Each structure stands twice: as C-alpha cells, then as structure tokens.
Amino acid sequence: MRCFLAVDIGASSGRHIAAWLENGRVQTQEVYRFPNGAQMKNGHLCWDLEGLCNHVTTGLKEAKEKGFEPVSVGIDTWAVDFVLLDEKDQPVGDLVAYRDSRTQGMDALLEKTLSFEKLYAITGIAKQPFNTVYQMMAVLQEHPEYREQVQDFLMVPEYLAYWLTGKKLHEWTNCSTTALADAKTKNWSPEVLAAAGLPEYWFRTPVAQPGASLGKLRASIREEVGCNPEVIVTATHDTGSAYIAVPARDDHAAFLSSGTWSLLGTELKECCTGVDSCRAGFTNEGGYAQTTRYLKNIMGMWMLQCIREEIGKQYTFAEMAEMAGRSDYPAWVNATDNRFLAPENMLEEVKAALREQGSPEPRDLSDLLRAVTVGLAVCYRDAISEMSTITGKAFTSLNIVGGGCQNEVLNRITAELTGLPVYAGPVEGTAIGNLIVQMIASGDIASLQEARDIVKQSFDIKEVC
C-alpha cells in the first residue's frame, strides 16, 4: 500500500497520522500520539527539544511496526519559535516557548529604529508579543555572546526535519510568521534585520516553498526506525497546513483553523498591508502555492484548555460546551485580548475581565464557559465583518477545521451571530493539509483544488445554519 505520514505537533500534543488514497478518498489512521507542553527551565518557559526529536523517531518506528512504510513524511508545528545553532549546527541555549514573558518591551525597542507601521508594510504581520523578531531581540538582550556564537537558526519543524535528514531548509509559510520576512519578495528583509540589530549571517539557509524535498533519512535514523521515507517540506506552520485542508465551496469562503489558537481569515492572491489592515490587526502569512493567508489571531481553545486544567479535568470539552449552551449569561469577554495569553489563572482572569467591563457576576462555571464561548463567536463575527470591509469580499460561508470544530455549541452561536452557514470539519485538518502537500509533491494528487474536492468526499463535514 502506497502511504504517507504526517507528523503534526501542537502545543499540547503531537500525533503521527498515516494516510493513503483508496477509491478516490483519503483514508487515515493515527499510529502514534504523545503529550507536549512547555515547562519552566532556567527562568524561562521552554519546550523539550530533545523529547520532540525522540517522539518524531518513535512515531516513525511505530508506523513501521503497524505495517506502514511511508513513501514520504512531513512535519508541521506551531509557528514563531526557533532553535539557534552554532557552527557545528548544534543547538545553542534552550528552546524558549512563545508564551514566555522575555519579549516584554521589545516592540518599543524596535520602534526606536523602525516604526510598527513600516514593519507591517514590509512584513504584513500583526503585532504580537511573541513574534520571532521580538524573541530574537530578547535573546540578544539576555545573551549578547550569542551574536558570535550562533551561526544559523531553524524554526521548530525545520529543525525536526534537519534532525531526520541532516539537511537544512527554511520553509516560507513558517518564515512568513516571524515579522522578519518581506511579504512581497518572500525572503528575509535586510531592512528589518538591520533595524532589529540581528546578524545577517544567522539568515543564510535558503527559503523554500512547500513541496520541496530534503531527501531521505540520515543513516542512523534509518537504522533506528526501519524505513527510509523521503522527507518533504510541507506547509510546516500548522495553520498553513490546516488552510490547505479547508474544503471551501467557492472563492468567498472564510476559513477558521480552530485549535489552541483560532486563526480566522481567508486566502488572497496578494498580501494586504495597508493602513486599515494594520489598524484592524490582521496578519498576512504565507500560504501554499504562494497564496496569502490573511487572518486574525484569536485566543481560541486555549482559554477552554486552561479552564479544563484548572478544574482538574472534571469535565470533557463536550460537557463544557453543553454547560455553556445551557447558560443564559448575557456578557462575554474579548478573546483577542492579550491578557488571556498566559495568565496565572484563566478562570480568575475571565472573572476579572467581566468585572472590569461592568458585567453581571457569573453565577457558576457554566456562566464563565458561556462568557468565553460567546466571546469567541463574537470575535469570529467581528473579524469576518472587518475582513469583508478591508478586502471587498462578501463572504458566503465559514469553514472550520481542527479540533475546535467539534464544539457544536460554539458552531451554532457562530452561525447565529455571523448569519453564515458554518461547515465544520475535518477534525484533523492540519495533518490532512500536511499529507496533501506530500501527495501533490509525489504526483498522487494533481492540484490543490483536486485535493479539496477529495477532502469533501473523504470526511464528515457538518453544516450548521
């Protein structure tokens, strides 16, 4: 059986999903799953880089043991975080997570040499405290010795692919999120690098588009895992992969990748970096086939994930959704507010936000869940309205992929508030998008449109009107 393998790693878990084409449909099977999360280390919130590498290879072994010998493998993760490398391509320092507070004040520091309006005009990336440009500036503030010690860097999925192959490439959909790249030239911006005080020699590795090949596995990895797939550079940013899998019905669809983050936007042929777009907080990220993913970052399922942890996982996400659906609480919180990025306690932060805006006191957990759920739907509605005004598109539907598409209460409220039909699914949108790039690269699927047509036929897409 000719199959492919997606390694899809999110902020809370990772999974290896095998896929193959059968009677014109994509069939999938999860072969390995592992937990992920950031922990405090040396005063910073960090990812376990060695653990991630080990899970990638363990998943490949599991695939082989379960009877899958993939033609190719592709890796996607979250964006903006990176691994610094020395002259021998060994990691320098810890892999610090984007929710760490080290970037505080870096935006103001950069704006002494480059205004945010100019930065946005070049990169098209909305201001977020975790943007890679601010992270790299913070690194050099804390470790000035890295200026000479570091010779290169790779984004997280790029490093994991390097771990497998010994070959380095940057990938555009991930590089585009850094606020260090020119949205028009699709390469690093010398003007931004100079303004941020970053060494140009850190940016020597070439930038490739999704579908490029890194070749086969290193000999030691090949011997360990028992197979030798080609490593394809997918859309390595998980949102880039998720957007590929959206089974849009026309060119006027709004897209929502719903997971830890809610990334609501649309596909454009050109980036949109005007003043109105800048003020509205939209971002222009690279998409497959050199499209632009025009979107807004909304806190997403992160808020509900935190609440579930804080209540000791007493309820499932489905049960939490039902609780929100039963509540008649009339107020909501702004799910684009950075106060919810990494609070010490999400429940208390939601209560504080409601108090500060003069809302009624929540009676119980159901009211708090309602405030978050409606807040997300309101942000979706407002983002679609703003996006329509800025782009001139009249949107005909909202298409949701990712784990968050299973929240039927949120889907229903979103359909009510936006007045649009909501199409929910596929759930594993990111992994499917990853696999689609591999299948197109191999010639098994001819085009992105053909792939989206296959997705429609292959997966349960629920319509909410």
Side-chain angles (χ1 to χ4, degrees):
M1 178 176 58
R2 185 174 170 83
C3 71
F4 304 83
L5 189 68
V7 182
D8 171 30
I9 307 176
S12 59
S13 68
R15 73 247 357 121
H16 289 53
I17 294 180
W20 61 97
L21 289 171
E22 186 176 308
N23 298 322
R25 297 188 177 193
V26 176
Q27 305 293 326
T28 62
Q29 181 177 325
E30 182 179 295
V31 296
Y32 182 67
R33 180 176 286 264
F34 59 92
N36 190 32
Q39 304 293 330
M40 292 303 297
K41 180 182 179 183
N42 299 324
H44 292 292
L45 193 63
C46 297
W47 305 106
D48 179 5
L49 180 60
E50 183 179 356
L52 289 172
C53 291
N54 290 336
H55 280 301
V56 169
T57 52
T58 300
L60 281 166
K61 285 190 288 187
E62 285 285 316
K64 172 69 173 179
E65 289 171 4
K66 290 178 179 177
F68 296 100
E69 190 153 349
V71 173
S72 64
V73 59
I75 303 172
D76 67 79
T77 76
W78 62 96
V80 303
D81 290 344
F82 53 90
V83 181
L84 297 172
L85 302 173
D86 65 16
E87 61 183 6
K88 295 181 179 179
D89 289 328
Q90 295 301 303
V92 176
D94 297 320
L95 173 51
V96 179
Y98 62 87
R99 293 188 191 275
D100 187 76
S101 61
R102 65 177 175 168
T103 58
Q104 187 173 358
M106 291 300 106
D107 58 337
L109 182 61
L110 179 57
E111 285 162 28
K112 291 180 179 180
T113 54
L114 183 71
S115 71
F116 177 70
E117 290 74 15
K118 179 63 173 176
L119 178 67
Y120 185 85
I122 296 169
T123 69
I125 299 300
K127 183 188 286 190
Q128 296 284 2
F130 49 71
N131 287 347
T132 310
V133 62
Y134 303 134
Q135 291 201 53
M136 286 190 169
M137 292 173 65
V139 166
L140 288 177
Q141 289 279 308
E142 184 176 1
H143 293 285
E145 71 276 13
Y146 285 3
R147 183 174 295 277
E148 300 301 328
Q149 186 179 352
V150 171
Q151 296 297 310
D152 204 350
F153 79 97
L154 292 170
M155 307 300 285
V156 172
E158 298 166 355
Y159 180 81
L160 296 175
Y162 165 73
W163 164 261
L164 291 179
T165 64
K167 297 178 182 177
K168 296 186 295 183
L169 270 181
H170 288 305
E171 186 275 315
W172 173 243
T173 70
N174 216 321
C175 294
S176 71
T177 71
T178 61
L180 290 163
D182 189 310
K184 296 182 176 66
T185 67
K186 296 180 172 53
N187 212 326
W188 305 114
S189 166
E191 184 174 358
V192 175
L193 300 185
L198 301 178
E200 284 195 24
Y201 52 82
W202 285 14
F203 297 82
R204 64 184 71 190
T205 294
V207 178
Q209 293 292 324
S213 173
L214 285 167
K216 300 286 188 172
L217 304 183
R218 289 189 289 124
S220 60
I221 299 290
R222 182 171 67 248
E223 292 171 7
E224 180 181 355
V225 303
C227 58
N228 193 22
E230 184 176 10
V231 178
I232 296 295
V233 177
T234 63
T236 63
H237 180 202
D238 51 13
T239 310
S241 279
Y243 268 43
I244 292 169
V246 173
R249 285 155 174 76
D250 55 45
D251 291 335
H252 290 264
F255 293 9
L256 174 58
S257 174
S258 182
T260 299
W261 285 93
S262 287
L263 292 309
L264 192 148
T266 191
E267 278 185 341
L268 299 178
K269 293 181 179 178
E270 303 290 340
C271 52
C272 184
T273 58
V275 174
D276 290 345
S277 180
C278 178
R279 289 175 179 168
F282 280 90
T283 204
N284 295 261
E285 296 177 354
Y288 183 72
Q290 302 199 37
T291 57
T292 292
R293 289 177 288 120
Y294 187 68
L295 54 84
K296 177 170 280 193
N297 283 29
I298 299 166
M299 288 296 166
M301 298 300 110
W302 163 251
M303 299 177 73
L304 297 173
Q305 290 167 1
C306 288
I307 290 171
R308 185 167 182 262
E309 289 290 330
E310 290 164 8
I311 62 175
K313 298 183 179 179
Q314 184 177 354
Y315 303 104
T316 66
F317 287 114
E319 289 169 340
M320 290 166 61
E322 290 173 4
M323 293 166 69
R326 290 194 299 267
S327 170
D328 60 358
Y329 187 69
W332 57 86
V333 292
N334 177 8
T336 62
D337 193 330
N338 279 334
R339 71 186 298 165
F340 302 119
L341 182 62
E344 291 185 8
N345 184 287
M346 186 65 75
L347 277 169
E348 293 303 319
E349 198 67 32
V350 172
K351 290 177 185 177
L354 290 168
R355 280 195 302 271
E356 290 167 20
Q357 65 194 35
S359 300
E361 187 71 18
R363 296 162 295 191
D364 52 22
L365 178 61
S366 294
D367 283 359
L368 288 166
L369 293 172
R370 178 80 178 186
V372 172
T373 302
V374 175
L376 287 167
V378 168
C379 286
Y380 299 164
R381 177 199 66 192
D382 293 348
I384 290 171
S385 177
E386 290 175 311
M387 193 163 59
S388 180
T389 299
I390 293 167
T391 66
K393 272 192 175 184
F395 291 99
T396 56
S397 64
L398 175 61
N399 298 258
I400 309 177
V401 297
C405 79
Q406 298 172 97
N407 190 320
E408 295 180 1
V409 173
L410 176 56
N411 293 346
R412 187 186 71 243
I413 297 172
T414 299
E416 291 170 356
L417 291 180
T418 62
L420 297 176
V422 169
Y423 297 100
V427 175
E428 293 287 1
T430 301
I432 293 163
N434 176 327
L435 292 158
I436 284 170
V437 173
Q438 296 181 57
M439 290 176 177
I440 292 175
S442 70
D444 288 52
I445 293 177
S447 66
L448 178 58
Q449 187 55 58
E450 180 183 326
R452 285 176 169 163
D453 291 341
I454 291 172
V455 169
K456 289 178 194 175
Q457 300 301 316
S458 303
F459 301 96
D460 182 24
I461 313 296
K462 296 181 179 179
E463 181 176 0
V464 183
C465 295

